[in-house]
């Protein structure tokens, strides 16, 4: 049968439960969030004369959990208004609300007895066919669900969300002892499409996949670090981007997680993994004593202000002093350097970099080689126990911890036979299926065609199986390896997405806009016009969509007085943006991540925007002493002010002030939904929860528009407010300057921005063409480029990455 999920209940308003409820609300679900009523009054409640029976008291714990979620940094909600979808209550007065839920998530404390009691109570009230999942990081589902009816167990599973659930994409989906396949399928579809998660199916084993491998390999790193005399800084320099892992590396990650949390997970894991032969290799670690001493002193990591690192304000600025693991004293940072690491970091291809660094006989190579060998040996040993295939293991590690490669992809890069030889030489266990694989002549765990993975080795069948691509995922790298690149220059490529749809991909550093990108945009529009293409997507799969214009080029040109060149560049961008907006075939932009300045202007000039939910969009040019000049000011007038002024006797000031603050304060949306609230996205633009599906959905939008008989919009007439509104904005700027909230140069930028947004200082409001605002944008931009203080801001930003308020 099909399962329709409309209402969800979350039991437990702790860190995870409240955050899960918040993300469900982000996805548009109505949510009931319940927690226990308190058993004693606070002093404040006693002072008010309240009793334990008062509703304010009985919902205190759940209300506090929701308030923490509202204040969380980074934000748990896309926009604060989403919290209205959450109805709070307690587990005594409001338990009957579970009868309304289509999906009930148990997210109480990691205590088997407590979870079993809660699950038993759920069974007594849940409606038939309602799905129940336990959110646990490793407790056995067969024990949590023990004693429940067959009908309940058929709809019972585990959903292990990683924290924070809005940002970490992995959800491990764990079948219970009798879960129906259609229930698992329904959950997987919902998690992928509605919640934007990446789903891995795991077996009901201790700590499941990611935490099982991550914990034990992390424990090995800790033990090895002290026994071999490495420092905190050295380990983090070797365990981060060098080997395709996040900058948090090892010790920074522990500080982020919290040492108390890490210790709790460690104690639980060691108790649950007594059967595991690899546990003996990490037992009696001297790191245990170090962490115990740190916890006793309250050095719990980021939440305590110090852990393996301590934030120190030095004359040179903020520094992070690492802990000396022998003396337990913090020391000034030394920034370790190795010649081999310097060479490796110049290698763009991660597989090549891993082979190189692991082959080095220096201190860096030895650490990376030993740590990776243990990680790979353990992943292979536990794979058949925790997962159905190596793909699930690789995906769990990549999606759970943001690794670029999973363990079996890493093993292929290093060489399977060579790595096995090293592991055996150390006396570590080698999985029998790996020995059989090599004995049968196997060389790599994956099969590759033109650098693309097309098959994987199935350790159950002892044979390769075809790896079927996800129907909603487009991978540009794979399309390029198939020869689908139509044109390319150093900054951009034009790729055939299939079905008559082009893709314009940026690939500069931070995808910053430069002349080569604009040249490729010109070529794309020419081909779209003259050839038999139905439309185009502007998108890429870099770290961010676009960080804006190349500020270095602007800074050099301004410093050398090349204002004619700047003018020509701005005119070219404005012309391209207007061509895109009124093109006779649909052009869909697909922003994600940082979409700033010129990147926001590109995103706003398509026929539609199909944005990732995690799109951080903003016009931030004032940060370097400029204003938007690629149509950004014009677009905000078109999107925010002009529609409002279609109503007779409407007051333009609130809308103008909103635009002025958005641009003048360089506001960046913390989500695509907030971007819509700020005016960057229109109601017609779409938001995609799963970033893996973004290009697929953008392509679908092109095809939908084309098949619907797409016609470009009529040329717009925009509302130019004129002199009176300009005076009002100028008064605001003057007040800010007089109160010393802004500098003289900030005020000058604000004056010019106000002039542009009001369409000049004409005596009466009037309706004007878009070009009127574009001309004003360009003139103000050029004027500010000539200002010495703007040039100072540009160079300060380029040198430090920080904003100068001069």
């Amino acid at each position: 049968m099909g399962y329709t999920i409309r209402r969800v209940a979350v039991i437990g308003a702790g860190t995870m439960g409240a955050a899960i409820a918040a993300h469900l609300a982000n996805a548009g679900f109505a949510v009931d969030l319940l927690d226990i009523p308190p058993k004693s009054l606070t002093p404040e409640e006693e002072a008010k004369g309240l009793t334990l029976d008062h509703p304010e008291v009985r919902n205190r714990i759940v209300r506090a959990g929701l308030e923490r979620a509202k204040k969380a940094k980074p934000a748990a909600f896309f926009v604060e208004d989403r919290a209205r979808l959450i109805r709070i209550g307690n587990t005594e007065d409001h338990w009957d609300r579970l009868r309304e839920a289509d999906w009930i998530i148990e997210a109480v404390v990691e205590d088997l007895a407590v979870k079993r009691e809660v699950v038993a109570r759920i069974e007594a009230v849940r409606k038939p066919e309602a799905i129940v999942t336990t959110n646990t990081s490793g407790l056995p589902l067969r024990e949590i669900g023990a004693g429940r009816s067959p009908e309940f167990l058929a709809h019972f599973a585990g959903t292990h969300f990683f924290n924070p659930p809005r940002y970490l994409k992995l959800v491990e989906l764990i079948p219970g002892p009798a879960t129906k396949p259609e229930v698992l399928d329904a959950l997987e579809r919902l998690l992928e499409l509605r919640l934007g998660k990446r789903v891995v199916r795991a077996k009901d084993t201790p700590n499941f996949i990611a935490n099982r491998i991550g914990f034990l390999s992390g424990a090995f790193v800790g033990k090895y670090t002290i026994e071999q005399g490495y420092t905190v800084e050295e380990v983090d320099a070797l365990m981060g981007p060098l080997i395709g892992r996040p900058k948090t590396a090892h010790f920074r990650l522990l500080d982020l997680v919290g040492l108390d949390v890490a210790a709790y997970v460690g104690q639980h894991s060691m108790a649950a993994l007594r059967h595991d032969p690899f546990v003996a290799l990490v037992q009696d670690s001297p790191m245990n004593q170090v962490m115990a001493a740190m916890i006793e002193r309250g050095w719990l990591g980021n939440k305590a202000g110090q852990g393996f690192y301590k934030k120190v304000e030095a004359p040179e600025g903020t520094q992070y002093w690492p802990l000396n693991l022998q003396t337990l004293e913090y020391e000034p940072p030394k920034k370790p350097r190795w010649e081999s690491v310097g060479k490796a970091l110049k290698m763009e291809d991660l597989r090549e970099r891993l082979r190189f660094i692991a082959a080095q006989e220096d201190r860096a190579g030895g650490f990376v080689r030993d740590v990776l060998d243990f990680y790979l040996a353990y992943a292979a040993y536990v794979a058949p126990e925790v997962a159905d295939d190596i793909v699930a293991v690789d995906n769990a590690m990549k999606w759970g911890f943001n690794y670029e490669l999973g363990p079996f992809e890493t093993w292929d890069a290093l060489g399977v036979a060579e790595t096995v030889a090293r592991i055996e030489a150390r006396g570590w266990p080698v999985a029998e299926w790996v020995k059989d694989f090599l004995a049968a002549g196997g060389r790599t765990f994956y099969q590759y065609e033109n650098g693309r993975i097309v098959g994987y080795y199935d350790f159950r069948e002892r044979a390769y199986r075809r790896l079927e691509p996800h129907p909603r995922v487009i991978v540009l790298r794979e399309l390029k390896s198939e020869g689908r690149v139509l044109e390319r220059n150093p900054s951009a490529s034009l790729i055939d997405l299939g079905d008559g749809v082009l893709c314009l991909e940026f690939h500069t550093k931070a995808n910053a806009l430069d002349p080569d990108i604009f040249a490729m945009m010109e070529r794309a529009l020419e081909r779209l016009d003259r050839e038999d293409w139905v439309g185009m997507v502007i998108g890429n799969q870099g770290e961010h969509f676009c960080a804006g214009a190349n500020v270095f080029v602007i800074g050099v040109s301004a410093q050398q007085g090349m204002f004619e060149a700047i003018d020509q560049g701005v005119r070219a961008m404005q012309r391209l943006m207007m061509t895109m907006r009124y093109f006779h075939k649909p052009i869909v932009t697909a922003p994600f991540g940082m979409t700033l300045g010129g990147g926001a202007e590109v995103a706003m000039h398509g026929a539609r925007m199909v944005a990732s939910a995690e799109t951080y969009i903003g016009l931030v040019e004032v940060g370097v002493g400029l204003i938007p000049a690629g149509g950004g000011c014009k677009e905000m007038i078109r999107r925010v002010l002009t529609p409002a002024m279609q109503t007779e006797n409407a007051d333009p000031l609130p809308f103008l002030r909103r635009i002025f603050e958005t641009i003048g304060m360089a506001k960046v949306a913390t989500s695509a939904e907030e971007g819509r609230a700020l005016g960057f996205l229109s109601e017609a633009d779409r938001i995609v929860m799963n970033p893996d599906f973004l290009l697929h959905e953008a392509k679908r939008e092109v095809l939908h528009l084309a098949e619907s008989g797409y016609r470009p919009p009529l040329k717009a007439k925009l509302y130019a407010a004129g002199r009176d509104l300009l005076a009002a904005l100028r008064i605001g700027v003057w007040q800010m300057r007089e109160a010393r909230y802004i500098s003289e140069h900030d005020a000058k930028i604000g004056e010019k921005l106000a002039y542009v947004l009001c369409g000049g200082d004409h005596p009466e409001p009037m309706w004007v063409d878009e070009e009127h605002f574009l001309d004003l944008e360009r003139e103000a931009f050029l004027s500010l480029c000539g200002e010495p203080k703007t040039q100072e801001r540009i160079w300060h930003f380029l040198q430090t990455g920080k904003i100068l308020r001069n």
Side-chain angles (χ1 to χ4, degrees):
M1 64 167 289
Y3 291 87
T4 301
I5 307 297
R6 295 187 180 90
R7 188 166 200 93
V8 185
V10 179
I11 305 168
T15 300
M16 277 302 297
I20 291 170
H23 197 54
L24 287 162
N26 287 336
F29 288 106
V31 184
D32 278 298
L33 179 63
L34 307 183
D35 210 316
I36 58 172
K39 300 190 183 306
S40 61
L41 295 172
T42 66
E44 293 80 9
E45 289 167 343
E46 288 179 347
K48 290 180 181 179
L50 302 179
T51 67
L52 286 174
D53 293 330
H54 194 283
E56 183 179 329
V57 175
R58 294 185 71 75
N59 287 342
R60 184 218 309 151
I61 293 174
V62 68
R63 184 180 296 106
L66 181 58
E67 289 303 314
R68 282 195 303 272
K70 288 180 181 179
K71 297 173 183 176
K73 299 294 180 186
F77 289 97
F78 287 163
V79 288
E80 189 174 331
D81 191 54
R82 289 288 168 141
R84 292 195 297 115
L85 288 169
I86 298 177
R87 180 174 58 168
I88 63 171
N90 66 73
T91 53
E92 291 183 7
D93 303 330
H94 307 107
W95 194 253
D96 274 359
R97 289 181 185 174
L98 300 188
R99 299 181 190 278
E100 305 172 35
D102 305 300
W103 178 18
I104 302 168
I105 303 173
E106 172 272 300
V108 300
V109 64
E110 283 285 281
D111 182 295
L112 181 59
V114 174
K115 285 184 177 288
R116 291 186 65 174
E117 180 185 349
V118 170
V119 165
R121 289 189 65 198
I122 291 172
E123 181 177 22
V125 297
R126 65 175 278 273
K127 65 184 179 182
E129 306 297 334
I131 295 173
V132 179
T133 64
T134 175
N135 188 70
T136 172
S137 57
L139 292 176
L141 269 71
R142 60 186 176 278
E143 295 184 24
I144 295 173
R148 307 279 61 80
S149 69
E151 199 278 335
F152 179 92
L153 292 177
H155 295 87
F156 177 62
T159 44
H160 177 209
F161 286 81
F162 274 54
N163 191 33
R166 171 181 164 184
Y167 298 97
L168 291 186
K169 297 302 180 184
L170 176 64
V171 170
E172 290 175 317
L173 179 58
I174 307 100
T179 316
K180 292 198 295 188
E182 53 265 41
V183 169
L184 294 171
D185 291 343
L187 281 170
E188 184 165 351
R189 282 194 303 273
L190 182 147
L191 289 163
E192 280 192 343
L193 286 173
R194 292 292 302 275
L195 295 182
K197 313 310 290 182
R198 297 176 172 117
V199 179
V200 167
R201 296 199 185 187
K203 294 183 180 179
D204 188 12
T205 58
N207 287 14
F208 311 128
I209 302 175
N211 279 352
R212 172 80 172 270
I213 297 171
F215 163 71
L216 218 66
S217 56
F220 177 81
V221 170
K223 185 177 183 181
Y224 187 91
T225 295
I226 294 183
E227 290 180 345
Q228 300 300 319
Y230 286 86
T231 68
V232 165
E233 277 187 299
E234 286 178 325
V235 171
D236 279 357
L238 296 171
M239 291 287 290
L242 172 70
I243 61 171
R245 296 187 181 181
K247 292 178 182 178
T248 46
H250 181 76
F251 289 108
R252 288 188 186 279
L253 179 61
L254 285 171
D255 276 357
L256 181 65
V257 170
L259 272 68
D260 52 342
V261 174
Y264 174 83
V265 171
Q267 291 165 5
H268 172 268
S269 299
M270 295 298 277
L273 297 175
R274 294 190 184 96
H275 68 287
D276 191 324
F278 277 78
V279 168
L281 300 176
V282 300
Q283 277 180 333
D284 304 319
S285 170
M287 185 58 75
N288 294 341
Q289 287 73 49
V290 171
M291 289 183 63
M294 294 172 69
I295 292 169
E296 186 177 348
R297 299 181 189 192
W299 299 353
L300 303 181
N302 293 358
K303 61 188 173 185
Q306 62 188 112
F308 287 103
Y309 291 89
K310 182 179 181 180
K311 186 177 180 179
V312 175
E313 297 299 334
E316 302 84 1
T318 301
Q319 295 181 342
Y320 292 89
W321 286 28
L323 184 70
N324 183 310
L325 297 173
Q326 278 68 46
T327 66
L328 291 190
E329 294 179 352
Y330 293 97
E331 299 177 344
K334 297 183 178 67
K335 295 185 178 179
R337 294 283 188 271
W338 297 273
E339 184 180 349
S340 61
V341 171
K343 291 179 180 178
L345 288 172
K346 294 177 182 178
M347 302 174 182
E348 290 189 15
D349 183 80
L350 176 57
R351 291 171 172 82
E352 178 188 0
R353 192 160 72 238
L354 287 172
R355 284 193 295 271
F356 174 82
I357 195 66
Q360 303 308 302
E361 294 301 328
D362 63 356
R363 186 171 170 81
F367 180 91
V368 170
R369 188 167 53 248
D370 288 353
V371 163
L372 286 182
D373 284 353
F374 182 91
Y375 166 63
L376 302 182
Y378 188 57
Y381 187 85
V382 301
E385 179 187 347
V386 300
D388 289 332
D389 52 54
I390 63 171
V391 179
V393 174
D394 275 355
N395 286 341
M397 299 309 294
K398 289 189 293 185
W399 298 343
F401 299 114
N402 288 327
Y403 293 176
E404 290 185 45
L405 297 176
F408 296 101
E409 292 171 307
T410 302
W411 210 329
D412 280 357
L414 295 177
V416 179
E418 299 92 325
T419 304
V420 166
R422 289 198 303 268
I423 293 169
E424 288 180 326
R426 291 185 177 94
W428 297 342
V430 175
E432 289 299 324
W433 71 267
V434 174
K435 295 178 184 178
D436 294 344
F437 168 78
L438 290 174
R443 298 183 60 188
T444 60
F445 292 122
Y446 287 99
Q447 293 176 314
Y448 302 85
E449 288 181 5
N450 299 318
R452 176 181 180 179
I453 294 176
V454 296
Y456 67 94
Y457 183 75
D458 188 326
F459 49 65
R460 296 177 300 180
E461 297 182 3
R462 297 294 200 265
Y464 283 104
R465 294 186 63 179
R466 185 79 180 171
L467 183 61
E468 297 299 330
H470 195 295
R472 293 178 181 269
V473 175
I474 292 173
V475 182
L476 292 180
R477 182 183 67 253
E478 294 178 355
L479 295 185
K480 290 190 280 189
S481 72
E482 295 171 6
R484 305 270 284 273
V485 178
L486 304 172
E487 293 191 39
R488 176 186 171 89
N489 66 28
S491 300
S493 295
L494 197 57
I495 303 166
D496 179 2
L497 287 185
D499 300 312
V501 179
L502 290 172
C503 177
L504 176 61
E505 177 201 31
F506 306 159
H507 41 71
T508 55
K509 183 178 181 180
N511 287 327
L513 302 173
D514 67 5
D516 280 338
I517 283 181
F518 292 135
M520 187 57 71
M521 194 176 290
E522 290 266 20
R523 287 290 301 135
L525 293 170
E526 288 174 11
R527 296 190 69 152
L528 195 58
D529 182 39
R530 297 176 183 175
E531 299 175 12
D532 193 22
W533 301 97
V534 299
M536 180 169 70
V537 171
I538 299 180
N540 63 76
Q541 292 174 325
E543 187 176 356
H544 300 289
F545 177 73
C546 179
N550 189 319
V551 180
F552 177 78
V553 173
I554 296 171
V556 169
S557 299
Q559 193 172 54
Q560 296 180 357
M562 299 168 61
F563 298 111
E564 185 175 344
I566 296 174
D567 180 62
Q568 290 174 353
V570 174
R571 286 178 185 271
M573 182 175 179
Q574 289 181 342
R575 177 175 49 79
L576 281 169
M577 295 302 98
M578 293 296 284
T579 303
M580 279 174 52
R581 170 157 166 71
Y582 293 109
F583 204 75
H584 61 96
K585 294 180 181 178
I587 298 173
V588 172
T589 59
F592 61 94
M594 293 300 181
T595 303
L596 305 176
E601 289 171 320
V602 170
M604 288 192 288
H605 278 88
R608 289 285 189 281
M609 198 187 303
V610 175
S612 168
E614 299 298 341
T615 297
Y616 315 124
I617 187 169
L619 295 166
V620 297
E621 287 83 351
V622 296
V624 289
L626 299 167
I627 72 162
C633 296
K634 176 266 299 180
E635 275 299 295
M636 295 302 281
I637 293 294
R638 185 181 73 81
R639 291 160 178 261
V640 178
L641 177 63
T642 297
M645 299 314 296
Q646 305 290 336
T647 301
E648 190 175 354
N649 297 322
D651 181 1
L653 185 57
F655 302 97
L656 259 178
R657 186 176 286 135
R658 175 181 156 197
I659 299 169
F660 182 78
E661 290 177 356
T662 298
I663 300 176
M665 296 174 68
K667 289 185 179 180
V668 177
T670 60
S671 66
E673 286 290 358
E674 187 177 8
R676 199 192 306 271
L678 290 172
F680 294 116
L681 280 74
S682 73
E683 288 301 319
D685 294 330
R686 290 179 53 204
I687 296 174
V688 175
M689 290 290 284
N690 195 318
D692 293 343
F693 301 167
L694 184 62
L695 286 182
H696 170 82
E697 292 301 320
K699 176 184 171 182
R700 283 184 62 198
E701 190 68 17
V702 169
L703 293 171
H704 168 72
L705 290 170
E707 290 165 3
S708 301
Y710 177 75
R711 291 177 295 174
L714 294 174
K715 288 279 186 177
K717 287 286 188 180
L718 306 185
Y719 186 83
R723 182 183 300 166
D724 291 348
L725 274 295
L726 176 57
L729 294 183
R730 281 174 169 167
I731 289 170
V733 171
W734 178 82
Q735 290 173 332
M736 293 283 284
R737 184 184 60 210
E738 288 298 300
R740 298 188 178 179
Y741 290 121
I742 62 175
S743 68
E744 287 289 336
H745 193 55
D746 289 326
K748 180 175 286 189
I749 298 166
E751 291 260 355
K752 290 185 179 293
L753 176 61
Y755 188 87
V756 172
L757 296 180
C758 291
D761 62 355
H762 43 85
E764 297 291 337
M766 59 183 185
W767 294 91
V768 299
D769 293 332
E770 289 171 283
E771 285 74 15
H772 177 83
F773 281 94
L774 292 175
D775 291 342
L776 293 176
E777 282 185 22
R778 189 176 64 255
E779 291 164 8
F781 187 89
L782 286 167
S783 172
L784 288 168
C785 281
E787 292 284 342
K789 288 188 179 294
T790 285
Q791 294 176 22
E792 286 177 19
R793 291 190 179 195
I794 290 173
W795 290 110
H796 185 270
F797 175 77
L798 289 169
Q799 291 163 3
T800 68
K802 297 179 180 179
I803 300 302
L804 174 66
R805 289 297 181 194
N806 54 349

